[in-house]
Short mmCIF file of all heavy atoms in Angstrom, two decimals:
data_model
loop_
_atom_site.label_atom_id
_atom_site.label_comp_id
_atom_site.label_asym_id
_atom_site.label_seq_id
_atom_site.Cartn_x
_atom_site.Cartn_y
_atom_site.Cartn_z
N PRO A 899 -11.36 7.61 31.69
CA PRO A 899 -11.97 7.04 32.91
C PRO A 899 -13.38 7.57 33.15
O PRO A 899 -14.30 6.80 33.48
CB PRO A 899 -11.00 7.48 34.02
CG PRO A 899 -9.69 7.65 33.33
CD PRO A 899 -10.00 8.13 31.94
N LEU A 1023 -6.47 0.51 15.07
CA LEU A 1023 -5.72 1.65 14.54
C LEU A 1023 -4.27 1.55 15.02
O LEU A 1023 -4.02 1.18 16.18
CB LEU A 1023 -6.35 2.97 15.01
CG LEU A 1023 -7.82 3.18 14.57
CD1 LEU A 1023 -8.35 4.51 15.06
CD2 LEU A 1023 -7.98 3.07 13.05
N PHE A 1065 -17.41 13.87 47.95
CA PHE A 1065 -18.05 13.30 46.78
C PHE A 1065 -18.08 11.77 46.94
O PHE A 1065 -18.03 11.30 48.08
CB PHE A 1065 -17.30 13.73 45.51
CG PHE A 1065 -17.58 15.17 45.11
CD1 PHE A 1065 -18.38 16.01 45.86
CD2 PHE A 1065 -17.04 15.69 43.94
CE1 PHE A 1065 -18.64 17.32 45.47
CE2 PHE A 1065 -17.29 16.99 43.54
CZ PHE A 1065 -18.09 17.81 44.31
N THR A 1076 2.51 15.38 25.44
CA THR A 1076 2.87 15.64 24.04
C THR A 1076 2.69 14.41 23.15
O THR A 1076 2.85 14.50 21.94
CB THR A 1076 4.31 16.20 23.89
OG1 THR A 1076 5.23 15.23 24.37
CG2 THR A 1076 4.47 17.50 24.65
N VAL A 1101 -6.17 10.24 -2.17
CA VAL A 1101 -4.93 9.55 -2.60
C VAL A 1101 -5.02 9.02 -4.01
O VAL A 1101 -6.06 9.02 -4.61
CB VAL A 1101 -4.60 8.39 -1.63
CG1 VAL A 1101 -4.00 8.94 -0.35
CG2 VAL A 1101 -5.80 7.53 -1.33
#
Side-chain angles (χ1 to χ4, degrees):
L1023 300 181
F1065 284 3
T1076 62
V1101 283

